[in-house]
Amino acid sequence: MYDTGKIMTGLAAVLVMLTLPFWYSAATGKAGEKPDPVLPKTEKKCVETRQYMRDYHMDLLNRWRDAVVREDRHIYVSQDGTRYEMSLSNTCMKCHVERAQFCDKCHTYMGESPFCWDCHLDRKGVL
């Protein structure tokens, strides 16, 4: 029991370290609002369901890239049987024309830096 002061100091330090994210969040304000991407008013649906696109859009785009580049396949058949051209620029960006409002808003919120724009132009010709 001679080290009670050291033990209490150590426990206090651990407690502070564990709760620091909560205190930091409380001091700096609330978390950013979660973006809610919506389809343009002219479109009724995306190539897949909203939930599927929210969860798996990057997997879908990677599969499209592989199919087009490696297998020379250019048509995607969605779960409801609709056929689409596998193209970020000609299919996705046809509806989601505002990259800053649609893509960048969510990727910034998630802290992601997609590499799509290393090669692709958006409809306004911006990398």
Side-chain angles (χ1 to χ4, degrees):
M1 294 310 249
Y2 296 109
D3 294 330
T4 304
K6 292 178 184 176
I7 292 171
M8 295 306 277
T9 303
L11 287 174
V14 168
L15 184 63
V16 168
M17 295 291 279
L18 289 175
T19 61
L20 187 62
F22 299 108
W23 294 110
Y24 179 79
S25 177
T28 60
K30 66 178 185 171
E33 276 194 42
K34 183 177 177 183
D36 186 27
V38 294
L39 280 172
K41 293 177 181 167
T42 58
E43 294 300 318
K44 300 285 185 222
K45 64 177 189 146
C46 199
V47 297
E48 292 294 352
T49 65
R50 180 184 178 105
Q51 190 61 45
Y52 181 90
M53 294 308 292
R54 180 174 282 162
D55 295 342
Y56 302 109
H57 75 280
M58 200 62 228
D59 294 330
L60 179 73
L61 291 174
N62 284 335
R63 286 195 316 268
W64 281 17
R65 179 199 59 208
D66 293 345
V68 170
V69 173
R70 297 178 182 155
E71 301 166 18
D72 198 30
R73 290 187 299 119
H74 296 270
I75 300 298
Y76 174 75
V77 180
S78 68
Q79 293 175 0
D80 69 0
T82 307
R83 297 168 64 88
Y84 296 95
E85 178 186 6
M86 289 191 252
S87 172
L88 176 68
S89 301
N90 296 330
T91 302
C92 303
M93 298 304 289
K94 183 172 78 175
C95 298
H96 306 297
V97 293
E98 289 294 328
R99 178 179 141 195
Q101 291 299 312
F102 198 81
C103 306
D104 294 344
K105 187 184 268 188
C106 288
H107 289 137
T108 300
Y109 176 79
M110 295 300 295
E112 295 291 332
S113 298
F115 55 86
C116 310
W117 313 114
D118 293 350
C119 302
H120 292 277
L121 297 174
D122 67 9
R123 290 219 159 227
K124 295 177 182 169
V126 177
L127 278 176

